[in-house]
Amino acid sequence: MATLTSTEWALARRPVGLPQQSDFEKKTVEIGEPGPGEIQVQNSWMSVDPYMRGRMYDRESYVPPFQIGETMTGGAVGRVTASNNPDFQVGDLVQSMNGWRTAWVGDPASAMAVKLPGDTGLPDSAFLGVAGMPGLTAYAGILRVAELKEGDTVFVSGAAGAVGSTVVQIAKIKNCTVIGSAGGPDKCAFVKSLGADHVIDYKQAKGAEGLVAALKEAAPKGIDVYFDNVGGDHLTAAIEAARPMARFAECGMIAQYNETGTPVGPPNIIQVVGKQLKIQGFIVSTHADMQPAFLADMAKWIAAGQMKFQETVMEGIDKAPDAFIGLFSGANTGKMLVKLG
Amino acid sequence: MATLTSTEWALARRPVGLPQQSDFEKKTVEIGEPGPGEIQVQNSWMSVDPYMRGRMYDRESYVPPFQIGETMTGGAVGRVTASNNPDFQVGDLVQSMNGWRTAWVGDPASAMAVKLPGDTGLPDSAFLGVAGMPGLTAYAGILRVAELKEGDTVFVSGAAGAVGSTVVQIAKIKNCTVIGSAGGPDKCAFVKSLGADHVIDYKQAKGAEGLVAALKEAAPKGIDVYFDNVGGDHLTAAIEAARPMARFAECGMIAQYNETGTPVGPPNIIQVVGKQLKIQGFIVSTHADMQPAFLADMAKWIAAGQMKFQETVMEGIDKAPDAFIGLFSGANTGKMLVKLG
C-alpha cells in the first residue's frame, strides 16, 4: 500500500452562460491508504457529460448541485491500487462516480463503485460510453420511453453524440427509418456511417423552419418518434413534423443549458393536443432495471458489428475543463472522454 | 310524414382572431321526407364547443375544416319525426353530429346518429354534456391519459367548464386533492361547490408567475397531475409546480384558439427532462372504447349525488353564434348549450 497524489477539479464559481476555464479550479489532494471496508483507486478515464452543466447551477434538481471548492463528481473508470474490502482486489477494473480526479480512496458504496467484468473484449473506456450510462440512456429512452416499434420513422437530434449515435443504431437494428441531425459535414458523415437513412446538418438548416423543411424532405409522411438531445428549434421542428400519436423521448436540451435570458418554448406546443403527441422526459437512473437486458443486447450487438462507437479523447486531467466546455460547441464526435493514465 | 324547415348556420368567412357575428351566415333549408334507410329529426338541443374553433381554420387537423357556405356540424340531440330505417322509430331520442341546425334528414351513420336510452332519468341535454362527449373527454383524460391515482394532487384549468367541472368531480371521487382554476368569483364559487379543495381565480392571479404563486400556496409539495384545457400561462405554471413524474393530460388550449400572432410556448419546457414529466395530448374519439365504463360510472355517480352538472343555455337557433363566441370570453359556467325547441 502507498499513498497517491490526486489532481482534481472543483468549481471556482458558478458559470454564467457558457462555462469558462476560469470557472474551474485545480487542486492537489493526497490520497491515503484505505481504511476499513475502503478501496484506493487510480482512475484511467473520466467522463464529461452535458447533464453536468445542470449541477453547476445552485438549484433543486434530480441531482444535487456541485458545491464551490469541492471536487466535482461524474463517471470514471480505474483500477484498484489498494483494498481493505473483500469484494475488491488490487488490479480490479472499477467504475465509479468519483471522476474529475486522478485517484481516490473511500467506501465503494458512497462512490457508487462497481466492479466491471474483465472478459468483455471492450476497451475500458466503453464503460463510460456505449456500454455505460450514455448507452443505457439511449436504450431506455428509445425502447421504453419512446416505445419504439418496427417500421417507425425516427428523428434523433445530437445524433453524433454519445447518446444520439447509440440511438441511431438501436433504431436501425429495430428496422426503423432513421433521420439524424448533427452539426457540420464530419459529424454528418459519421452519423451516415452508423446507418442513418437521412442526415440533417443543422448548421446548414438554420432554425426551426429550415429543420422542418429538411425533415419534410426526409420524411414526407412525418415522424413517429423524436429522441431529443437538443431542445430549442429541434423540438419545435419535431412537433411540426410529428405524425399523430408520435412519441417524444426528452433526454436533454443542450441548446438551453447555457441560456442566461428567458428561453423560448416551442411556439407550436398546441399541436400536442390535435396530434395526440406524448412528450416525456426521463433520467437514466429511473430505468436502472433495464441494465441486465441492456448489457446483454449491447454485448450481442457489438459482437455482431451492429453497434459502432466513437470517442473524442482529450489527454490528461488538465484538459478536463476543456473537454467539458467543448461539449457545448460540439467538439466531440461520439463520447467525449478524458484519458487520465 | 311531412317536410320540415331547418334554420342553419354556415361560416360566411374564416374568422381572424376572436370570431364575430359577421363570420356566420344564417340559412333556411327545406328538409324533405326520409329516403330509403334515412331518418328525419327535429333537433331540440345543440352543442357549442371550443374545439370547433379549430375547424374554422383551413388546415389539416384531426377533423376536417368547415367549408365556407356549408352548414357547420357538431353535437345535437333531437327526436325522430319520420323514419325509413328499422332501427329508429318516430319519437326516439337521438344524438348526432348534425348540430348548428334545427332539423335534418339523412342516413343515420353519416350523421353519426345513435339512439339514446330513454330510461336514464337524465335531461336530454345531459347527453351533450356530462353524459356525452365532454363527460367522456374528462373521464378518458383524467383516468387513462393522466393515469390518475388515489391521493394525487390534481390541477385542473377551465375548471368551471363542461369538461373541467367533470374532471374536478372525478378526481374528488378518486380521493385526490383538487385545485381548480376559473375566471371570476361566480365561477370560482361553482368550482368550490363541486368539491375542489382549492380554487384559483386566474383573473386575479395575473400571468404565469401569479399562477405559480397560487399553486405553490395551494400545493406546497407540487402537483402530480395537470388536466389542461387552457394552455398558455396555465401550462407554464403547471410545469413549474409539477412534481417529478407528473402527468399532463392536454385536452385543449383555449387561450390560444384565437391567436393571430406567434403563440408563446412554455419557456420552462426544459423542466420536462429533469422532472421526467409526461405531457400527452388526446382526443376523445381515440378513447371511444371507454364509453361503456364511462356511462356505467357516470350513471352511478349521478344517482349517488357525486356528480353535479350545470348548463348555460341560450334560447333559439339565432343565438348559436353568440353561444359559440361566448365560450372564449368565459360566458358559460358548465356546459354551453343552445336550446332549439
PDB file of all heavy atoms in Angstrom, chain A residues 240-256:
ATOM      1  N   GLU A 240     -43.653  20.019 -35.320  1.00  0.00           N
ATOM      2  CA  GLU A 240     -44.247  20.368 -36.615  1.00  0.00           C
ATOM      3  C   GLU A 240     -44.300  19.146 -37.544  1.00  0.00           C
ATOM      4  O   GLU A 240     -45.264  18.960 -38.287  1.00  0.00           O
ATOM      5  CB  GLU A 240     -43.404  21.479 -37.265  1.00  0.00           C
ATOM      6  CG  GLU A 240     -44.133  22.335 -38.267  1.00  0.00           C
ATOM      7  CD  GLU A 240     -45.231  23.194 -37.642  1.00  0.00           C
ATOM      8  OE1 GLU A 240     -45.091  23.626 -36.489  1.00  0.00           O
ATOM      9  OE2 GLU A 240     -46.243  23.406 -38.349  1.00  0.00           O
ATOM     10  N   ALA A 241     -43.262  18.328 -37.496  1.00  0.00           N
ATOM     11  CA  ALA A 241     -43.154  17.187 -38.418  1.00  0.00           C
ATOM     12  C   ALA A 241     -43.793  15.918 -37.857  1.00  0.00           C
ATOM     13  O   ALA A 241     -43.840  14.895 -38.538  1.00  0.00           O
ATOM     14  CB  ALA A 241     -41.684  16.916 -38.738  1.00  0.00           C
ATOM     15  N   ALA A 242     -44.288  15.992 -36.638  1.00  0.00           N
ATOM     16  CA  ALA A 242     -44.788  14.778 -35.979  1.00  0.00           C
ATOM     17  C   ALA A 242     -46.065  14.270 -36.621  1.00  0.00           C
ATOM     18  O   ALA A 242     -46.942  15.051 -37.010  1.00  0.00           O
ATOM     19  CB  ALA A 242     -45.039  15.039 -34.494  1.00  0.00           C
ATOM     20  N   ARG A 243     -46.169  12.980 -36.741  1.00  0.00           N
ATOM     21  CA  ARG A 243     -47.425  12.353 -37.147  1.00  0.00           C
ATOM     22  C   ARG A 243     -48.325  12.221 -35.914  1.00  0.00           C
ATOM     23  O   ARG A 243     -47.851  12.291 -34.772  1.00  0.00           O
ATOM     24  CB  ARG A 243     -47.163  10.954 -37.710  1.00  0.00           C
ATOM     25  CG  ARG A 243     -46.220  10.972 -38.898  1.00  0.00           C
ATOM     26  CD  ARG A 243     -45.993   9.568 -39.417  1.00  0.00           C
ATOM     27  NE  ARG A 243     -47.235   9.021 -39.956  1.00  0.00           N
ATOM     28  CZ  ARG A 243     -47.351   7.817 -40.492  1.00  0.00           C
ATOM     29  NH1 ARG A 243     -46.297   7.031 -40.547  1.00  0.00           N
ATOM     30  NH2 ARG A 243     -48.498   7.396 -40.970  1.00  0.00           N
ATOM     31  N   PRO A 244     -49.622  11.997 -36.146  1.00  0.00           N
ATOM     32  CA  PRO A 244     -50.491  11.746 -34.996  1.00  0.00           C
ATOM     33  C   PRO A 244     -49.951  10.592 -34.152  1.00  0.00           C
ATOM     34  O   PRO A 244     -49.417   9.624 -34.693  1.00  0.00           O
ATOM     35  CB  PRO A 244     -51.830  11.369 -35.649  1.00  0.00           C
ATOM     36  CG  PRO A 244     -51.812  12.093 -36.958  1.00  0.00           C
ATOM     37  CD  PRO A 244     -50.373  12.052 -37.410  1.00  0.00           C
ATOM     38  N   MET A 245     -50.076  10.719 -32.858  1.00  0.00           N
ATOM     39  CA  MET A 245     -49.657   9.717 -31.877  1.00  0.00           C
ATOM     40  C   MET A 245     -48.136   9.558 -31.768  1.00  0.00           C
ATOM     41  O   MET A 245     -47.659   8.563 -31.207  1.00  0.00           O
ATOM     42  CB  MET A 245     -50.277   8.330 -32.156  1.00  0.00           C
ATOM     43  CG  MET A 245     -51.760   8.311 -32.495  1.00  0.00           C
ATOM     44  SD  MET A 245     -52.843   9.016 -31.212  1.00  0.00           S
ATOM     45  CE  MET A 245     -52.760   7.759 -29.943  1.00  0.00           C
ATOM     46  N   ALA A 246     -47.375  10.496 -32.273  1.00  0.00           N
ATOM     47  CA  ALA A 246     -45.913  10.393 -32.163  1.00  0.00           C
ATOM     48  C   ALA A 246     -45.481  10.489 -30.704  1.00  0.00           C
ATOM     49  O   ALA A 246     -46.147  11.112 -29.882  1.00  0.00           O
ATOM     50  CB  ALA A 246     -45.233  11.484 -32.986  1.00  0.00           C
ATOM     51  N   ARG A 247     -44.350   9.839 -30.401  1.00  0.00           N
ATOM     52  CA  ARG A 247     -43.813   9.824 -29.033  1.00  0.00           C
ATOM     53  C   ARG A 247     -42.451  10.500 -29.024  1.00  0.00           C
ATOM     54  O   ARG A 247     -41.598  10.176 -29.852  1.00  0.00           O
ATOM     55  CB  ARG A 247     -43.661   8.379 -28.529  1.00  0.00           C
ATOM     56  CG  ARG A 247     -44.972   7.637 -28.371  1.00  0.00           C
ATOM     57  CD  ARG A 247     -45.388   6.881 -29.628  1.00  0.00           C
ATOM     58  NE  ARG A 247     -44.446   5.846 -30.006  1.00  0.00           N
ATOM     59  CZ  ARG A 247     -44.338   5.299 -31.207  1.00  0.00           C
ATOM     60  NH1 ARG A 247     -45.125   5.689 -32.202  1.00  0.00           N
ATOM     61  NH2 ARG A 247     -43.444   4.365 -31.456  1.00  0.00           N
ATOM     62  N   PHE A 248     -42.263  11.398 -28.040  1.00  0.00           N
ATOM     63  CA  PHE A 248     -41.007  12.134 -27.909  1.00  0.00           C
ATOM     64  C   PHE A 248     -40.318  11.692 -26.616  1.00  0.00           C
ATOM     65  O   PHE A 248     -40.896  11.819 -25.537  1.00  0.00           O
ATOM     66  CB  PHE A 248     -41.274  13.637 -27.804  1.00  0.00           C
ATOM     67  CG  PHE A 248     -41.690  14.313 -29.085  1.00  0.00           C
ATOM     68  CD1 PHE A 248     -42.396  13.641 -30.069  1.00  0.00           C
ATOM     69  CD2 PHE A 248     -41.366  15.645 -29.298  1.00  0.00           C
ATOM     70  CE1 PHE A 248     -42.784  14.277 -31.250  1.00  0.00           C
ATOM     71  CE2 PHE A 248     -41.751  16.298 -30.469  1.00  0.00           C
ATOM     72  CZ  PHE A 248     -42.461  15.611 -31.454  1.00  0.00           C
ATOM     73  N   ALA A 249     -39.092  11.197 -26.726  1.00  0.00           N
ATOM     74  CA  ALA A 249     -38.281  10.922 -25.537  1.00  0.00           C
ATOM     75  C   ALA A 249     -37.387  12.128 -25.306  1.00  0.00           C
ATOM     76  O   ALA A 249     -36.513  12.422 -26.118  1.00  0.00           O
ATOM     77  CB  ALA A 249     -37.454   9.657 -25.743  1.00  0.00           C
ATOM     78  N   GLU A 250     -37.633  12.835 -24.215  1.00  0.00           N
ATOM     79  CA  GLU A 250     -36.889  14.060 -23.906  1.00  0.00           C
ATOM     80  C   GLU A 250     -35.719  13.726 -22.997  1.00  0.00           C
ATOM     81  O   GLU A 250     -35.854  13.610 -21.786  1.00  0.00           O
ATOM     82  CB  GLU A 250     -37.821  15.078 -23.251  1.00  0.00           C
ATOM     83  CG  GLU A 250     -38.915  15.584 -24.176  1.00  0.00           C
ATOM     84  CD  GLU A 250     -38.359  16.362 -25.369  1.00  0.00           C
ATOM     85  OE1 GLU A 250     -37.313  17.017 -25.211  1.00  0.00           O
ATOM     86  OE2 GLU A 250     -38.958  16.275 -26.454  1.00  0.00           O
ATOM     87  N   CYS A 251     -34.568  13.579 -23.622  1.00  0.00           N
ATOM     88  CA  CYS A 251     -33.358  13.162 -22.908  1.00  0.00           C
ATOM     89  C   CYS A 251     -32.562  14.363 -22.437  1.00  0.00           C
ATOM     90  O   CYS A 251     -31.945  14.337 -21.375  1.00  0.00           O
ATOM     91  CB  CYS A 251     -32.534  12.312 -23.857  1.00  0.00           C
ATOM     92  SG  CYS A 251     -30.984  11.754 -23.169  1.00  0.00           S
ATOM     93  N   GLY A 252     -32.557  15.417 -23.240  1.00  0.00           N
ATOM     94  CA  GLY A 252     -31.787  16.599 -22.880  1.00  0.00           C
ATOM     95  C   GLY A 252     -32.094  17.734 -23.830  1.00  0.00           C
ATOM     96  O   GLY A 252     -32.728  17.531 -24.869  1.00  0.00           O
ATOM     97  N   MET A 253     -31.693  18.926 -23.443  1.00  0.00           N
ATOM     98  CA  MET A 253     -31.926  20.119 -24.269  1.00  0.00           C
ATOM     99  C   MET A 253     -30.667  20.973 -24.236  1.00  0.00           C
ATOM    100  O   MET A 253     -30.665  22.082 -23.709  1.00  0.00           O
ATOM    101  CB  MET A 253     -33.139  20.907 -23.749  1.00  0.00           C
ATOM    102  CG  MET A 253     -34.443  20.132 -23.818  1.00  0.00           C
ATOM    103  SD  MET A 253     -35.899  21.178 -23.502  1.00  0.00           S
ATOM    104  CE  MET A 253     -37.208  19.929 -23.573  1.00  0.00           C
ATOM    105  N   ILE A 254     -29.598  20.448 -24.837  1.00  0.00           N
ATOM    106  CA  ILE A 254     -28.296  21.090 -24.714  1.00  0.00           C
ATOM    107  C   ILE A 254     -28.315  22.511 -25.260  1.00  0.00           C
ATOM    108  O   ILE A 254     -27.548  23.364 -24.804  1.00  0.00           O
ATOM    109  CB  ILE A 254     -27.181  20.232 -25.360  1.00  0.00           C
ATOM    110  CG1 ILE A 254     -25.801  20.652 -24.866  1.00  0.00           C
ATOM    111  CG2 ILE A 254     -27.281  20.252 -26.887  1.00  0.00           C
ATOM    112  CD1 ILE A 254     -24.687  19.683 -25.208  1.00  0.00           C
ATOM    113  N   ALA A 255     -29.227  22.797 -26.192  1.00  0.00           N
ATOM    114  CA  ALA A 255     -29.325  24.156 -26.735  1.00  0.00           C
ATOM    115  C   ALA A 255     -29.620  25.187 -25.650  1.00  0.00           C
ATOM    116  O   ALA A 255     -29.361  26.374 -25.815  1.00  0.00           O
ATOM    117  CB  ALA A 255     -30.407  24.216 -27.822  1.00  0.00           C
ATOM    118  N   GLN A 256     -30.187  24.726 -24.530  1.00  0.00           N
ATOM    119  CA  GLN A 256     -30.606  25.663 -23.480  1.00  0.00           C
ATOM    120  C   GLN A 256     -29.722  25.653 -22.243  1.00  0.00           C
ATOM    121  O   GLN A 256     -29.942  26.442 -21.327  1.00  0.00           O
ATOM    122  CB  GLN A 256     -32.033  25.340 -23.017  1.00  0.00           C
ATOM    123  CG  GLN A 256     -33.095  25.685 -24.025  1.00  0.00           C
ATOM    124  CD  GLN A 256     -34.487  25.523 -23.430  1.00  0.00           C
ATOM    125  OE1 GLN A 256     -34.692  25.670 -22.237  1.00  0.00           O
ATOM    126  NE2 GLN A 256     -35.437  25.202 -24.281  1.00  0.00           N
TER     127      GLN A 256
END
